[in-house]
C-alpha cells in the first residue's frame, strides 16, 4: 500500500486507517473530519492545525530520555531545558507550551529583546530563562528586571564587551543580578545546511583567550560567583551524532578547566539546540543517524567520563532544542483547487471529419493502448506531440488540431500510468518528468514553507483521503502566488504521487507535516498572502474541541501592517467610485458595500466546489 512514508516521519503521531490519515490519539479523528469542521465555519484557504498533545509528547520524551540516561549512568548532575523562542513565537503555540512546561519546569530561551519580553510575561515562575544573541545595554537591563521579577535567568555572554556592560548595569540596578553564562567558541563545528553556528570561525562565542580574560574580569569585580553556565550551539538539524560528541568533549574539558581555575559556582553546560527531526518520507533518504536514546546516552556518559577524569563535579545539563520540540505539533492543510490537465477529458475532444494523419494515429494509440504496449505507445505519443507542435508553429495545423493533440496525449499518459504503475516500470519512472500533473494548491509556499523556498528543505506531504487507492499521477505542487518559485517540482529523487481526481466532483486536500518549527515566523508576505487561518485541537477524555481559531488577516489588516493609511486608502476607493461615470448613480451604494466586504476578507482564494454548493 502507498503510505507516503508515514512510518518513517510520523513516529506514530499520525496513522492511516480506512483510507484516511488520522491523529493517533484519544478518539483518533481523521484530519479530513477536523478540516471539514473548520471549513463549516466558513474558512476556505489554507489551515494550520496545532496539536498541543504533540508538544507535550516531545517535551516528555526529552525529559524521560535524559532522566533515564542519568539513572543508567548514575550521573550526579541533573537535566533541564528551555525552548528557544525563535523557533516559534506565535501566542497560541507558546501558551500551550508554557502550560505543558509547568509540570517539567521547562523554560524559555530568548535571542532578542522582544523574545525576552515574551519570556518575562509567560515563563513559569521557577523555570529557567536563558538569553543568547548580541546584547546592548537595554537588553541587559531587561535581564536585570527579569531577575528582579524573581526569574531564574542566565545572560549568556557572546563577547567581552557584553560582560563590561553587565558590570555597568550591575552598578546602576544592583541586586539581584542575573546569572552569567559564557558562550564558548568551539574548535569543532556542526554539520549540514545549518552548520554556521559552530566552529572556530563562528559568528558567536568566546575564544579560550577571551574566556580567561572574562574569568579575570569577573574575579576582579567580585562577580565570579554569578558565573553559572557555559553554552555552545553547533547548529540546527544535526544529522549525525559524531560532531555532537566531538563538541561535547571539547566543552566538557573547558568546563572542567574553568572550574579548576576557581569558577566554583559554574555547574551547568548548555548544549544549545540541534536535535534533528526526520523529515524524509522516502525510504532511502534519512535526515538523522541517531535516536534520542543514543543522543542522551552519549551526552550523559561523556560528561560523566570527563568530570571523573578531571576530578570535578558533574555538571547540570541544559538543552535548547527547538525544532525537535515544535516541528511535529503543526500540520498545514492546503485545498487542491485544480489539476492543470483536468480539462483534458474525452468530452473535450473535438475531432474533425478529417484530421491530420498524426492526430489520427494518436487517436488510434489511445484506443488500442494496453499493458503490454503502454510504454511504447506513450513514447510514440510524446514524439507525435513534438511533431504536431512543430506543424502548428509552421502554420500547417490549426488551434483545434493543437487542442486535440494536447487532449489525446494527456489521455494516453493517464492510461499508460494506470496500466503500468503496478509493474513499477523503470521506464515510466524515467519519463515521470514529462508526464507529471500540476496540482494547484490554495496556499503560499513563501508564507507557509519558506524553508523549501530558501533551502530546498522538503516536508512530508500526503493527501488526507483516498489512501486506500493507488495514486497514479506524478505530481508537482503549485501555490497561488504569481511567482514561478512557488512550486514544489516533481523530483525523481523525492517522487510524489497523487490521485487523479476531478475537483469539481470531490474535494481533495493535501497536508504538509512537521511545519511547526521555524516556518511560521520565517514565512513572508509575498503577494500579500498572510499567515493561514490557525486552529488549536484540544483533546479531552471523550473527544476534542477546536480552540483559538484565528482567521487569516484581512486585506485591510495586511495593508495597515505595510503602513498604508487605511483611511486614506478607503477614501480613495470611495472617491474613485463616486467620480466614475461608468457606474449608475443608484448602483454606487451597492458597489461600495461589495468593496467593503472584500476588504475584510483575506487574500486566499474562495473557490466554491460543487459539493459545498
Ligand atoms: C537556533 C538556536 C537553538 C535551537 O536550535 P534547534 O535546531 O531548533 O534545536 C538553540 N540555541 C541557540 C543558541 C540557537 O541559536
Amino acid at each position: 500500500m502507498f503510505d507516503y512514508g508515514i512510518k518513517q516521519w510520523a513516529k506514530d503521531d499520525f496513522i492511516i486507517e480506512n483510507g484516511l490519515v488520522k491523529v493517533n490519539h484519544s478518539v483518533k479523528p481523521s484530519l479530513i473530519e477536523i478540516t471539514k469542521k473548520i471549513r463549516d465555519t466558513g474558512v476556505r484557504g489554507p489551515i494550520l492545525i496545532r496539536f498541543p498533545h504533540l508538544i507535550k509528547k516531545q517535551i516528555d520524551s526529552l525529559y524521560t530520555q535524559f532522566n533515564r540516561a542519568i539513572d543508567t549512568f548514575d550521573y550526579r548532575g541533573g537535566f533541564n531545558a528551555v525552548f528557544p523562542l525563535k523557533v516559534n513565537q506565535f501566542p497560541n503555540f507558546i501558551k500551550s507550551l508554557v502550560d505543558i512546561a509547568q509540570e517539567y519546569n521547562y523554560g524559555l530561551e530568548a535571542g532578542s529583546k522582544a523574545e525576552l519580553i515574551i519570556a518575562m510575561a509567560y515563563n513559569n515562575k521557577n523555570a529557567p530563562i536563558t538569553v543568547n544573541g548580541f546584547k546592548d545595554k537595554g537588553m541587559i537591563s531587561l535581564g536585570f528586571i527579569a531577575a528582579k521579577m524573581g526569574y531564574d535567568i542566565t545572560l549568556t555572554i557572546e563577547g567581552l564587551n557584553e560582560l563590561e556592560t553587565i558590570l555597568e548595569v550591575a552598578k546602576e540596578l544592583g541586586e539581584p543580578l542575573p546569572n552569567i553564562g559564557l558562550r564558548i567558541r568551539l574548535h569543532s563545528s556542526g554539520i549540514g545546511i545549518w552548520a554556521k553556528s559552530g566552529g572556530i570561525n563562528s559568528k558567536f562565542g568566546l575564544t579560550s583567550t577571551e574566556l580567561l580574560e572574562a574569568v579575570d574580569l569577573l574575579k576582579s569585580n567580585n562577580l565570579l560567583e554569578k558565573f553559572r553556565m557555559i553554552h555552545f550551539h553547533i547548529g540546527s538539524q544535526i544529522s549525525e551524532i559524531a560532531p555532537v560528541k566531538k563538541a561535547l568533549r571539547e566543552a566538557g574539558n573547558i568546563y572542567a578547566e574553568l572550574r579548576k581555575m576557581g569558577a566554583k559556582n559554574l555547574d551547568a553546560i548548555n548544549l544549545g539546540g540541534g536535535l534533528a527531526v526526520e523529515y524524509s518520507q522516502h525510504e532511502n533518504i534519512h535526515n538523522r543517524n541517531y535516536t534520542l536514546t543514543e543522543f542522551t546516552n552519549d551526552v550523559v556518559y561523556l560528561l560523566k567520563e570527563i568530570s571523573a577524569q578531571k576530578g570535578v563535579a558533574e555538571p547540570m545539563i541544559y538543552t535548547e532544542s527547538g525544532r525537535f520540540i515544535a516541528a511535529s505539533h503543526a500540520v498545514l492543510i492546503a485545498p487542491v483547487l485544480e489539476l492543470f490537465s483536468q480539462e483534458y477529458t474525452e468530452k473535450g475532444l473535438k475531432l474533425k471529419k478529417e484530421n491530420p494523419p498524426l492526430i489520427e494515429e494518436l487517436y488510434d494509440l489511445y484506443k488500442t493502448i494496453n499493458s503490454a504496449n503502454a510504454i511504447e505507445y506513450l513514447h510514440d505519443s510524446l514524439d507525435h506531440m513534438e511533431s504536431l507542435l512543430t506543424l502548428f508553429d509552421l502554420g500547417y495545423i490549426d488551434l483545434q488540431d493543437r487542442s486535440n493533440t494536447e487532449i489525446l496525449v494527456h489521455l494516453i499518459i493517464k492510461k499508460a500510468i494506470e496500466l503500468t504503475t503496478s509493474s513499477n516500470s523503470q521506464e515510466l519512472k524515467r519519463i515521470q518528468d514529462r508526464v507529471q500533473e500540476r496540482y494547484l494548491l490554495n496556499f503560499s509556499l513563501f508564507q507557509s514553507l519558506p524553508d523549501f523556498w530558501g533551502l530546498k528543505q522538503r516536508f512530508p506531504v500526503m493527501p488526507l483521503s483516498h489512501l486506500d487507492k493507488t495514486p497514479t499521477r506524478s505530481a508537482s505542487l503549485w501555490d497561488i502566488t504569481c511567482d514561478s518559485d512557488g512550486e514544489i517540482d516533481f523530483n525523481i529523487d523525492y517522487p510524489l504521487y497523487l490521485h487523479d481526481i476531478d475537483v469539481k466532483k470531490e474535494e481533495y486536500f493535501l497536508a504538509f507535516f512537521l511545519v511547526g518549527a521555524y516556518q511560521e515566523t520565517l514565512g513572508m508576505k509575498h503577494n500579500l498572502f498572510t499567515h493561514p487561518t490557525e486552529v488549536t485541537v484540544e483533546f479531552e477524555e471523550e473527544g476534542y474541541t477546536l480552540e483559538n481559531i484565528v482567521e487569516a488577516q484581512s486585506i485591510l489588516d495586511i495593508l495597515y501592517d505595510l503602513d498604508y493609511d487605511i483611511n486614506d486608502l478607503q477614501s480613495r476607493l470611495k472617491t474613485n467610485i463616486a467620480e466614475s461615470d461608468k457606474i449608475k448613480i443608484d448602483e454606487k451604494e451597492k458597489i461600495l458595500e461589495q468593496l467593503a466586504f472584500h476588504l475584510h476578507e483575506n487574500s486566499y482564494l474562495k473557490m466554491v466546489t460543487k459539493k459545498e454548493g
Side-chain angles (χ1 to χ4, degrees):
M1 193 64 244
F2 213 87
D3 68 359
Y4 294 91
I6 198 167
K7 296 223 170 61
Q8 185 163 315
W9 56 263
K11 346 173 231 70
D12 281 338
D13 295 348
F14 299 94
I15 50 167
I16 296 174
E17 250 177 36
N18 305 327
L20 303 175
V21 52
K22 295 185 173 176
V23 187
N24 189 21
H25 188 70
S26 170
V27 291
K28 302 192 177 164
S30 65
L31 287 178
I32 191 116
E33 173 192 308
I34 297 172
T35 301
K36 288 198 166 156
K37 278 195 181 159
I38 298 164
R39 285 168 66 88
D40 281 348
T41 68
V43 169
R44 278 303 170 270
I47 303 166
L48 186 91
I49 309 181
R50 299 190 196 282
F51 294 104
H53 76 281
L54 294 177
I55 308 174
K56 175 159 169 103
K57 181 178 170 188
Q58 293 306 100
I59 296 176
D60 191 72
S61 64
L62 184 71
Y63 278 84
T64 304
Q65 286 299 329
F66 263 108
N67 288 328
R68 181 204 48 74
I70 281 173
D71 277 353
T72 307
F73 295 107
D74 194 20
Y75 187 78
R76 282 179 298 270
F79 169 74
N80 206 355
V82 290
F83 179 79
L85 281 162
K86 77 161 186 279
V87 178
N88 195 327
Q89 309 94 337
F90 274 69
N92 288 325
F93 169 77
I94 289 301
K95 284 186 200 159
S96 296
L97 180 120
V98 292
D99 239 23
I100 297 160
Q102 199 156 18
E103 154 184 7
Y104 300 87
N105 207 30
Y106 182 48
L108 294 170
E109 183 264 0
S112 68
K113 288 179 209 170
E115 287 180 357
L116 182 50
I117 291 292
I118 295 176
M120 288 163 70
Y122 290 96
N123 195 48
N124 290 304
K125 261 291 144 65
N126 296 316
I129 296 176
T130 63
V131 185
N132 300 315
F134 298 110
K135 296 169 221 47
D136 63 2
K137 194 169 168 187
M139 187 153 169
I140 287 169
S141 304
L142 284 177
F144 275 69
I145 295 173
K148 286 180 196 296
M149 287 176 172
Y151 281 119
D152 166 17
I153 179 169
T154 305
L155 299 180
T156 304
I157 301 313
E158 309 271 357
L160 284 174
N161 57 329
E162 287 181 8
L163 196 50
E164 278 155 16
T165 313
I166 288 188
L167 300 175
E168 196 185 318
V169 177
K171 288 201 185 95
E172 287 169 24
L173 297 181
E175 295 280 335
L177 264 57
N179 293 318
I180 294 169
L182 298 179
R183 182 158 180 169
I184 56 178
R185 185 175 298 222
L186 295 178
H187 148 76
S188 45
S189 59
I191 189 166
I193 43 181
W194 286 281
K196 290 186 209 88
S197 325
I200 204 90
N201 294 319
S202 153
K203 186 165 135 192
F204 302 106
L206 302 172
T207 62
S208 337
T209 317
E210 288 168 331
L211 274 177
L212 297 177
E213 267 181 68
V215 170
D216 279 348
L217 199 58
L218 285 166
K219 248 187 211 159
S220 60
N221 285 277
N222 285 327
L223 280 178
L224 195 56
E225 82 213 37
K226 281 284 158 194
F227 173 35
R228 301 288 303 273
M229 179 186 282
I230 58 168
H231 172 260
F232 67 91
H233 170 71
I234 61 172
S236 203
Q237 184 68 2
I238 305 290
S239 54
E240 293 172 25
I241 194 77
V244 176
K245 292 208 232 177
K246 199 158 179 292
L248 258 173
R249 283 210 183 85
E250 199 179 338
N253 277 296
I254 291 175
Y255 158 80
E257 291 294 319
L258 288 170
R259 277 206 53 120
K260 288 175 132 181
M261 280 174 55
K264 279 199 296 289
N265 286 352
L266 169 62
D267 62 359
I269 289 195
N270 181 340
L271 320 180
L275 263 178
V277 165
E278 182 54 81
Y279 289 102
S280 168
Q281 60 184 146
H282 302 285
E283 236 178 314
N284 49 342
I285 299 168
H286 294 275
N287 294 153
R288 58 159 206 223
N289 78 347
Y290 57 89
T291 60
L292 183 60
T293 308
E294 181 181 351
F295 180 88
T296 52
N297 280 345
D298 283 347
V299 169
V300 172
Y301 178 79
L302 271 171
L303 288 178
K304 185 173 175 85
E305 195 186 51
I306 294 167
S307 304
Q309 248 170 33
K310 295 235 156 160
V312 294
E314 293 161 8
M316 177 87 182
I317 299 164
Y318 282 86
T319 67
E320 296 175 337
S321 274
R323 184 185 298 278
F324 176 84
I325 299 294
S328 59
H329 97 280
V331 179
L332 179 79
I333 310 288
V336 174
L337 294 174
E338 198 178 323
L339 276 64
F340 278 64
S341 67
Q342 196 162 280
E343 68 271 32
Y344 297 130
T345 61
E346 208 165 332
K347 262 202 305 214
L349 198 60
K350 301 219 163 45
L351 291 175
K352 303 169 178 167
K353 274 210 195 79
E354 269 191 46
N355 298 288
L358 278 176
I359 291 189
E360 293 289 350
E361 272 184 53
L362 272 182
Y363 189 69
D364 204 44
L365 292 174
Y366 173 54
K367 285 292 159 195
T368 55
I369 189 168
N370 61 42
S371 53
N373 63 25
I375 294 294
E376 184 191 335
Y377 280 23
L378 183 57
H379 279 154
D380 290 350
S381 72
L382 293 173
D383 284 348
H384 288 3
M385 181 173 69
E386 293 296 330
S387 310
L388 282 159
L389 290 176
T390 309
L391 287 176
F392 179 80
D393 292 348
L394 297 174
Y396 290 111
I397 66 170
D398 63 17
L399 201 55
Q400 185 60 58
D401 296 325
R402 182 170 157 158
S403 156
N404 289 336
T405 305
E406 285 170 2
I407 293 173
L408 281 168
V409 171
H410 272 93
L411 290 173
I412 292 167
I413 289 171
K414 278 191 198 180
K415 255 196 175 177
I417 294 172
E418 266 164 40
L419 291 166
T420 50
T421 34
S422 53
S423 67
N424 209 5
S425 154
Q426 277 308 313
E427 177 55 17
L428 190 66
K429 281 206 177 123
R430 213 179 55 76
I431 56 170
Q432 293 292 0
D433 246 14
R434 294 180 65 189
V435 301
Q436 61 183 277
E437 173 64 286
R438 295 179 294 168
Y439 289 72
L440 181 68
L441 305 185
N442 198 359
F443 88 123
S444 158
L445 205 131
F446 301 87
Q447 172 59 238
S448 293
L449 301 176
D451 275 347
F452 179 79
W453 173 75
L455 299 159
K456 290 285 167 270
Q457 170 64 44
R458 287 184 178 259
F459 295 84
V461 54
M462 68 189 288
L464 297 189
S465 57
H466 294 66
L467 297 165
D468 45 2
K469 301 183 190 82
T470 307
T472 53
R473 300 307 315 261
S474 44
S476 61
L477 308 179
W478 293 62
D479 75 3
I480 53 170
T481 65
C482 307
D483 192 314
S484 56
D485 281 339
E487 181 201 354
I488 301 178
D489 53 326
F490 181 83
N491 183 326
I492 195 63
D493 297 326
Y494 315 89
L496 174 67
Y497 299 95
L498 294 176
H499 300 89
D500 190 22
I501 40 131
D502 182 349
V503 289
K504 294 213 178 62
K505 298 212 178 89
E506 57 181 334
E507 295 174 299
Y508 195 64
F509 298 93
L510 295 189
F512 293 93
F513 293 86
L514 303 174
V515 299
Y518 296 104
Q519 303 318 295
E520 291 182 64
T521 35
L522 288 180
M524 52 206 125
K525 297 174 177 170
H526 196 21
N527 266 155
L528 301 187
F529 290 110
T530 59
H531 190 265
T533 296
E534 63 164 280
V535 182
T536 304
V537 175
E538 290 281 1
F539 284 97
E540 293 156 351
E541 300 238 322
E542 295 280 304
Y544 65 93
T545 55
L546 304 178
E547 307 285 342
N548 314 327
I549 300 188
V550 187
E551 277 213 51
Q553 269 190 313
S554 72
I555 293 171
L556 270 187
D557 284 345
I558 176 138
L559 294 177
Y560 179 81
D561 280 358
L562 282 184
D563 285 338
Y564 277 94
D565 177 339
I566 297 300
N567 292 327
D568 176 56
L569 184 138
Q570 282 170 297
S571 76
R572 278 163 183 268
L573 292 170
K574 231 175 183 164
T575 312
N576 286 346
I577 286 174
E579 288 175 356
S580 168
D581 52 13
K582 304 237 161 48
I583 310 172
K584 290 201 204 102
I585 303 275
D586 55 348
E587 279 182 353
K588 292 198 172 182
E589 192 70 17
K590 213 174 83 197
I591 293 206
L592 264 177
E593 271 169 33
Q594 282 176 0
L595 195 59
F597 171 80
H598 289 295
L599 288 175
H600 290 93
E601 293 273 293
N602 65 57
S603 285
Y604 291 104
L605 302 185
K606 281 208 154 186
M607 304 297 228
V608 181
T609 66
K610 207 169 197 167
K611 265 187 105 178
E612 289 173 323

